[in-house]
Amino acid sequence: MATPAPVSAPAFDLSARFPGIASPDTRPGYSGWVIPKENLPEVAAALRDELGFDYLSHVTGVDYLPEGKMEVVYQFYKTTGGPGLSLKVQVPRQDPIEVPSIVSIYPGAEFQEREVWDLFGIRFTGHPDLRRILMWEGFEGHPLRKDWKEAYYEEDIKPFKSRWPEGKHVPAEDKTPFGDNVTYPDGFDAEKWIPEDPEKALYGALARYQVQDETGLGTEHVIVNIGPQHPSTHGVFRVAAILDGETIVSLKPVMGYLHRNHEKIGERNTYLMNMPFTDRLDYLSSMSNNFGYALTVEKLMNIKPPERAEYIRVMMAEMTRISNHLMAIGALTNDLGAYFTPMLYSLEERELILDIFEAVAGSRMMCNYFRFGGVVRDLPEGIPEKIKGLFFERLPRRIDELERFLSENEIVRSRGIGQGVLTAEDAIRYSASGPLLRASGIPYDVRRAEPYSIYDRFDFEVCVRPNGDIYDRLMIRFDEIRQSIRIVQQAVRGLPEGPVMAVKPAYTVRVPPGEAYGRVEGPKGELGFYIISNGKPSPWRYHVRAPSFINLTSFGPMCIGQKVADLVAVLGSIDIVLGEVDR
Amino acid sequence: MVPEELNSPGYDIPPEARGQVAITTLDRIYNWGRSASVWPMMFGLACCAIEMICAAASRYDIARFGMEIMRPSPRQSDLMIVAGTVTKKMIPLIVRLYNQMPEPKYVLAMGACASGGGPFKEGYNVVSGVDKFIPVDVYVPGCPPTPQALLNGLMKIQEKIRGESLKTSRWYQKGPDSVEMPIPLLGPDLIDTRKIALIKPAAKKGQEA
Amino acid sequence: MSEEMFGKGILKSLSVSLKRFVETYLDDLKWLGRRYRTAEGITHRGSKDGRGIFTVQYPEEKIPVPEEFRFVPFLVYDEGPDGEKIMRCTSCGICSRVCPPQCIWITRTTDPVTGRPIPDPAEFYIDADICMNCGLCAEYCPFDAIKMDHDYELASFGRNVFDKARLSKPASYYEEIRPVNAARENAARAAKEAARAAPKEG
Ligand code: SF4
Ligand code: SF4
Ligand code: SF4
């Protein structure tokens, strides 16, 4: 398979369908179509209804400060497979910046448009609930704008000059006037400042979504908050719901409690520095994150790793998928009330996979193993044998045992079957991906739909389950583990000899100007990286299409009408990781 | 501000923490009981929490230390393991949870993030170490600390408990039952209520500059 | 699910638990006590053939860390003939430049007379409360001077900012924790040295 060229030809001619409206993006290294913002809803509707681009993959903003422009980028795919199409809307960089919302056409854009509003200050007119999503209401400024500087700001690009050769250890907090990581607007007077009720906007939004009570029984609705510190939310995640008795009538997830400014930091880091940071996105599957990031930058650089490295990469990515799904199965059954037992069993197998990661990459979780053009180091001695032992002898047996343990258990079945259903149409509409999408009957897997690396050489099936309920989402993870075991078996058998790096390892890489969107099928869904290079050592724009975050868009609709106790199980079945949701 | 000042929860750190008080037999029994049944709060923030779960699971099994009872409620727990990145959006809730814990209570900062900000320290939504807002007893460096490193930190907590004495422990003396830490506010940025007086002149200076 | 079948699945689940419980004791009998607190016992429990109990009883037993394992970095020094410490670090600054969270601070020594830099760091700080243990510093140091440690038992009662004295460890320690890497690097350095010496002779 040839490396994709950095400038990919547009999938087809959009200007033929929209003459005078759509014009190709002609900047060097860019692709896609630029359209005026007024025509966005019209074009988006046509893409979905006429041209078959039914899947909105991601929406993000870019701040072109030197050009005085803001851009909103949309990436579309067909769920039948094939290359994507990207649309761009450019607006002048003067507040108020406004772009029409496409939530009514692609509901999957809801959270992403909120994120762009939060971080770039681009208003989406017609958005049903445009509030901040990662930062809190009332926060000053839109952090991803290039002219917004945080308290610990040192320089635009790393490395900082203060580290060498006259590096004195001064904690960053000692350099700010407040002795802490804070800045305030000019003349801010904390004594006179009156805090607003932080929850007002949220509860207002909840009430707006409230479904009218048709029975006319006039029961009182109560607001219930779950989280951020709650054992079943898998981290610091909060759910606010309006209940009618025990039934959920309206629900909003609240996130941002783990917003670690990944993208802002990523735009200051050099390309290589971002690699260990990607480990901390979805910290259960760092190898996959490495994979997606390395692929995207390699796409920009137009290099290709050697054969052996490709095999090792695939092996590592599939092992990550297994370890992630084991954790997901354990956590979901925990939420279903199994307390800890299945978790103990699945973590046991996960530990053995982590042992391999530790031996190969040096860390159990934060692997930082991929480099542009290969992997850091070859497999240490004895590791291929260890992998063989584990994947040919132990794991298949243990997975069967775990499935026997769970699949017929009456509690799992009665709490899972028919609960939290996500229909196939809804799954696509809400841009769900990964096991969540496939458990709703859509056989869409990036490894098949747009094969990357060497996945086209392996024999495996795209798992799919028809019902879209919690039980199917549990069982599809078993199916996927089995397929991943098959892939690892094939890869370890076919592992060729040879180098593991295509280029000389270097800590500065030259990335030609341009944009690239690279995606992999991560364990949680389509994991994408959208990178814009301007030829400097750091990316100008670094965006992560986080599957957990976008999968959560369908969480609210899935829960409406369910009992409040099932909320926890539905959340568990989506399998989120907060590092990736909040980034 | 020097870290010691921030670490001080508003009362004098009892000297037994430095192991300077003769420990009686009663203390021994009392401390043995306490140190062998430290109940941590089930509370994970980020990546480090996964290693905490692993430490609780089959391979590392903190039940061997009497710590397997992870309490979801702060009111039943003795130890807060701050496992992960502390963000500005989260810190008011962490302080509130800390205030809800009954004394004696301990805090373990797990990982670089909780100890001092970690790799994401420069971020605009990240707090530079949880000890800016609540007193921390033990710091476990690492990113993430392996489960064994966490167990090592928990043993340090036990060591600290064993050095305490009934006679001098603050919670058996006269005075307020527990010391509440002030909860920071979320304004245009995080507002530490202890520093309100400082914020106004400094923000003004920023205006002049 | 018919009425009389109810509970069958749960029984099946319980049988799996029971099997695991029994396996622990079967293996215990087979190993006759050698299963605990012995290196081979620990390895066996974490291998593909391990059954039943999986727990490793830290701190009495420790899971052996693999060679590539990385925790906070340390600085390597060679021991001179009189036992003095010869830092390998030349304060070239590469590690502080590649460090992603920028947690390395290096002060270069300058010669008081000429004002020219001397290849020896005056100060070297790593803020372990920022360090992400990524290993990039060790990967790109051209002098094999900074390496990733295996010592993870670092819990302390205060914050951890490591200075030069705290970071320095002898080369013998490095060779002990990473024998394969150290041997390879030593050989490469010797070859380089020989290559440098050769033209002079010729
Ligand atoms: S210390 Fe490292 S592993 Fe732990 S929460 Fe912070 S980034 Fe994650
Ligand atoms: S440790 Fe290595 S890279 Fe860092 S300054 Fe010293 S010689 Fe240079
Ligand atoms: S391990 Fe990574 S974060 Fe730590 S000092 Fe080295 S380069 Fe910096």
Side-chain angles (χ1 to χ4, degrees):
Chain A
M1 189 187 73
T3 321
V7 191
S8 53
F12 63 86
D13 197 3
L14 194 65
S15 59
R17 169 67 181 78
F18 290 101
I21 295 174
S23 53
D25 192 345
T26 50
R27 292 169 288 185
Y30 284 71
S31 61
W33 300 90
V34 183
I35 55 166
K37 68 174 187 183
E38 298 77 33
N39 300 92
L40 176 65
E42 175 199 347
V43 175
L47 276 180
R48 185 190 64 181
D49 300 331
E50 289 172 30
L51 305 171
F53 285 96
D54 49 355
Y55 188 80
L56 172 71
S57 167
H58 78 96
V59 180
T60 190
V62 186
D63 179 7
Y64 288 101
L65 178 65
E67 288 95 342
K69 276 189 309 197
M70 285 268 192
E71 193 177 273
V72 184
V73 183
Y74 302 84
Q75 181 80 25
F76 300 93
Y77 285 101
K78 296 177 180 171
T79 44
T80 46
L85 176 131
S86 78
L87 275 192
K88 287 146 192 193
V89 174
Q90 294 177 338
V91 279
R93 207 177 171 282
Q94 267 114 34
D95 282 315
I97 305 170
E98 286 183 346
V99 170
S101 162
I102 56 165
V103 173
S104 54
I105 305 160
Y106 290 97
E110 185 185 344
F111 287 0
Q112 302 183 66
E113 286 186 354
R114 277 177 68 188
E115 182 192 311
V116 175
W117 156 243
D118 187 356
L119 302 181
F120 286 94
I122 299 175
R123 248 179 198 294
F124 288 89
T125 47
H127 189 288
D129 179 23
L130 195 67
R131 286 177 294 121
R132 282 186 184 265
I133 189 164
L134 296 176
M135 302 304 287
W136 60 89
E137 249 357 281
F139 181 75
E140 178 77 15
H142 299 286
L144 275 186
R145 290 190 176 184
K146 288 284 177 183
D147 50 3
W148 191 93
K149 309 249 150 75
E150 59 267 74
Y152 286 171
Y153 173 81
E154 273 197 64
E155 282 168 54
D156 275 337
I157 281 184
K158 287 178 182 175
F160 299 145
K161 292 189 189 69
S162 66
R163 302 299 196 268
W164 178 86
E166 253 91 62
K168 290 266 183 303
H169 176 248
V170 186
E173 45 268 48
D174 291 356
K175 292 191 204 157
T176 69
F178 310 101
D180 210 343
N181 185 8
V182 286
T183 56
Y184 301 99
D186 289 346
F188 173 69
D189 188 348
E191 279 162 346
K192 297 222 185 81
W193 171 74
I194 305 155
E196 285 169 51
D197 179 6
E199 314 296 7
K200 220 174 103 198
L202 168 66
Y203 294 152
L206 262 181
R208 234 180 303 136
Y209 275 71
Q210 199 164 336
V211 185
Q212 280 311 314
D213 195 356
E214 278 156 18
T215 55
L217 267 176
T219 47
E220 200 180 329
H221 289 183
V222 285
I223 295 182
V224 167
N225 277 290
I226 299 181
Q229 193 273 122
H230 189 275
S232 67
T233 52
H234 302 217
V236 277
F237 178 71
R238 177 177 156 203
V239 181
I242 293 187
L243 303 185
D244 176 9
E246 271 198 57
T247 311
I248 298 165
V249 294
S250 171
L251 177 141
K252 284 263 157 199
V254 186
M255 44 203 139
Y257 294 99
L258 190 57
H259 179 44
R260 300 191 279 195
N261 331 122
H262 191 90
E263 294 180 6
K264 183 91 180 171
I265 296 176
E267 287 167 18
R268 196 174 301 133
N269 282 347
T270 63
Y271 285 93
L272 177 69
M273 286 177 184
N274 270 337
M275 189 62 83
F277 274 97
T278 61
D279 290 342
R280 285 147 182 88
L281 276 171
D282 172 359
Y283 33 77
L284 290 170
S285 33
S286 59
M287 290 281 194
S288 286
N289 305 340
N290 283 185
F291 204 170
Y293 180 61
L295 271 185
T296 313
V297 177
E298 281 164 5
K299 213 170 177 179
L300 275 168
M301 294 168 65
N302 204 11
I303 54 172
K304 194 169 146 37
E307 278 290 289
R308 185 173 172 88
E310 293 273 30
Y311 273 85
I312 296 178
R313 283 180 168 196
V314 166
M315 246 155 60
M316 292 300 151
E318 294 308 317
M319 275 152 66
T320 301
R321 192 183 317 278
I322 297 171
S323 80
N324 176 79
H325 283 353
L326 283 169
M327 190 83 182
I329 290 167
L332 172 56
T333 43
N334 239 4
D335 294 340
L336 290 175
Y339 198 51
F340 220 54
T341 317
M343 183 86 149
L344 291 179
Y345 293 175
S346 58
L347 281 186
E348 194 172 318
E349 309 313 312
R350 179 173 177 267
E351 284 287 336
L352 296 181
I353 295 176
L354 295 191
D355 277 353
I356 293 175
F357 288 165
E358 199 175 27
V360 172
S363 178
R364 293 154 46 87
M365 284 169 70
M366 305 304 171
C367 298
N368 185 19
Y369 184 56
F370 289 35
R371 293 289 177 271
F372 312 125
V375 294
V376 186
R377 63 181 77 81
D378 207 341
L379 301 177
E381 215 168 298
I383 291 298
E385 291 70 46
K386 206 167 167 186
I387 295 176
K388 276 184 193 148
L390 195 58
F391 281 81
F392 283 99
E393 293 171 36
R394 179 171 169 131
L395 267 182
R397 190 158 43 86
R398 290 298 178 119
I399 298 301
D400 288 347
E401 185 186 273
L402 195 62
E403 186 172 346
R404 193 162 70 239
F405 186 71
L406 293 172
S407 62
E408 285 172 43
N409 189 305
E410 280 83 357
I411 299 170
V412 172
R413 292 180 72 94
S414 59
R415 286 208 62 187
I417 294 177
Q419 302 294 324
V421 175
L422 183 68
T423 61
E425 299 78 56
D426 275 353
I428 297 175
R429 269 162 31 95
Y430 289 112
S431 298
S433 61
L436 183 64
L437 179 65
R438 290 191 287 272
S440 293
I442 310 287
Y444 186 76
D445 187 319
V446 183
R447 291 175 294 176
R448 275 274 187 266
E450 199 184 19
Y452 53 92
S453 187
I454 50 166
Y455 274 107
D456 47 356
R457 297 188 200 164
F458 295 109
D459 180 24
F460 69 97
E461 278 151 35
V462 173
C463 307
V464 59
R465 292 244 171 187
N467 301 323
D469 55 13
I470 295 175
Y471 186 74
D472 272 9
R473 290 199 281 272
L474 172 66
M475 297 320 287
I476 199 163
R477 298 207 155 87
F478 282 107
D479 303 345
E480 292 198 357
I481 290 178
R482 294 218 172 84
Q483 297 304 324
S484 292
I485 292 178
R486 273 178 73 189
I487 298 177
V488 176
Q489 286 175 344
Q490 293 168 44
V492 73
R493 259 201 235 116
L495 187 66
E497 291 299 321
V500 293
M501 272 298 275
V503 289
K504 208 169 154 286
Y507 60 89
T508 45
V509 289
R510 226 191 65 75
V511 181
E515 63 164 5
Y517 178 65
R519 55 180 191 152
V520 295
E521 183 69 35
K524 302 204 162 54
E526 176 187 330
L527 172 71
F529 288 85
Y530 178 67
I531 296 176
I532 293 180
S533 160
N534 58 356
K536 299 258 167 55
S538 310
W540 177 258
R541 178 79 182 102
Y542 167 73
H543 172 69
V544 186
R545 189 238 185 242
S548 305
F549 174 65
I550 296 169
N551 283 352
L552 272 177
T553 319
S554 57
F555 176 49
M558 258 194 274
C559 285
I560 309 276
Q562 296 281 324
K563 295 277 184 285
V564 65
D566 293 325
L567 179 158
V568 168
V570 173
L571 183 63
S573 72
I574 302 178
D575 183 22
I576 57 165
V577 138
L578 266 298
E580 192 176 70
V581 173
D582 296 341
R583 277 154 291 151
Chain B
M1 201 175 284
V2 288
E4 278 79 76
E5 233 169 279
L6 284 165
N7 278 341
S8 150
Y11 52 84
D12 287 331
I13 291 175
E16 81 279 357
R18 300 160 213 152
Q20 281 169 4
V21 168
I23 294 179
T24 62
T25 319
L26 186 61
D27 282 337
R28 276 223 187 94
I29 297 171
Y30 169 70
N31 287 339
W32 172 76
R34 281 195 314 142
S35 67
S37 61
V38 181
W39 290 3
M41 182 154 65
M42 194 191 263
F43 173 56
L45 293 171
C47 352
C48 280
I50 304 297
E51 289 295 57
M52 183 173 78
I53 294 172
C54 288
S58 34
R59 194 177 221 179
Y60 304 97
D61 192 12
I62 51 176
R64 296 178 295 117
F65 296 83
M67 298 185 187
E68 78 281 21
I69 312 184
M70 292 247 182
R71 296 281 85 183
S73 160
R75 301 197 191 276
Q76 300 163 349
S77 38
D78 310 303
L79 169 68
M80 182 187 227
I81 303 179
V82 186
T85 317
V86 182
T87 61
K88 291 182 187 170
K89 200 167 174 178
M90 191 64 198
I91 186 72
L93 306 155
I94 295 176
V95 177
R96 195 181 303 164
L97 287 168
Y98 176 81
N99 286 342
Q100 287 172 349
M101 283 166 66
E103 289 205 313
K105 56 187 167 191
Y106 302 88
V107 177
L108 182 143
M110 177 183 183
C113 285
S115 311
F120 296 93
K121 181 169 180 175
E122 64 197 273
Y124 48 85
N125 191 26
V126 177
V127 172
S128 314
V130 72
D131 59 1
K132 296 251 176 222
F133 293 95
I134 56 175
V136 172
D137 297 281
V138 169
Y139 297 77
V140 184
C143 181
T146 59
Q148 297 191 3
L150 174 63
L151 294 181
N152 184 255
L154 292 171
M155 281 155 59
K156 272 265 177 342
I157 289 274
Q158 291 183 323
E159 195 180 300
K160 177 158 186 158
I161 292 174
R162 275 189 231 111
E164 285 170 344
S165 165
L166 280 172
K167 274 201 266 346
T168 49
S169 294
R170 197 189 48 76
W171 45 93
Y172 291 111
Q173 315 305 315
K174 290 222 172 63
D177 270 356
S178 68
V179 177
E180 298 242 320
M181 300 305 292
I183 296 174
L185 304 170
L186 292 176
D189 206 326
L190 190 72
I191 300 174
D192 186 346
T193 49
R194 293 166 298 185
K195 289 189 189 165
I196 280 189
L198 178 79
I199 287 168
K200 190 177 168 189
K204 204 155 184 191
K205 226 184 286 159
Q207 195 178 23
E208 281 156 14
Chain C
M1 188 187 333
S2 63
E3 201 53 37
E4 63 272 15
M5 288 290 283
F6 192 83
K8 200 171 153 229
I10 293 179
L11 284 178
K12 216 169 180 177
S13 307
L14 288 175
S15 73
V16 172
S17 289
L18 183 69
K19 178 169 154 270
R20 291 197 170 225
F21 177 76
V22 173
E23 272 174 356
T24 300
Y25 296 99
L26 286 181
D27 249 28
D28 271 358
L29 283 177
K30 208 161 100 197
W31 280 68
L32 286 174
R34 279 177 298 114
R35 197 154 121 97
Y36 302 101
R37 308 211 179 175
T38 57
E40 49 180 328
I42 297 171
T43 323
H44 172 73
R45 261 174 280 161
S47 73
K48 68 177 166 54
D49 306 314
R51 302 191 295 169
I53 197 164
F54 189 55
T55 310
V56 176
Q57 312 208 355
Y58 180 86
E60 289 85 9
E61 301 175 324
K62 287 178 188 169
I63 299 177
V65 288
E67 167 145 2
E68 293 301 341
F69 178 72
R70 51 187 151 81
F71 220 64
V72 185
F74 69 99
L75 292 173
V76 186
Y77 65 79
D78 291 305
E79 275 154 312
D82 313 321
E84 78 266 31
K85 299 177 183 176
I86 309 167
M87 299 296 294
R88 283 190 187 171
C89 175
T90 61
S91 59
C92 69
I94 288 177
C95 55
S96 74
R97 279 206 292 271
V98 296
C99 174
Q102 294 285 293
C103 68
I104 304 183
W105 281 262
I106 304 169
T107 314
R108 196 166 54 188
T109 320
T110 42
D111 192 317
V113 187
T114 60
R116 302 261 297 273
I118 301 174
D120 180 33
E123 281 176 63
F124 201 112
Y125 287 104
I126 292 181
D127 192 335
D129 292 337
I130 298 179
C131 173
M132 66 203 299
N133 304 168
C134 64
L136 289 184
C137 49
E139 210 174 305
Y140 290 102
C141 172
F143 301 95
D144 302 325
I146 187 165
K147 291 291 165 195
M148 301 306 285
D149 208 342
H150 280 186
D151 180 15
Y152 50 81
E153 292 165 320
L154 296 174
S156 66
F157 294 119
R159 286 219 188 175
N160 293 287
V161 180
F162 295 163
D163 61 3
K164 190 175 145 189
R166 171 75 213 280
L167 287 168
S168 304
K169 293 193 176 177
S172 54
Y173 171 75
Y174 174 54
E175 278 156 20
E176 188 191 315
I177 61 168
R178 292 174 184 249
V180 180
N181 280 326
R184 191 184 58 231
E185 287 158 8
N186 287 346
R189 251 202 328 275
K192 223 191 211 165
E193 215 112 291
R196 199 145 25 111
K200 251 186 241 159
E201 284 159 14

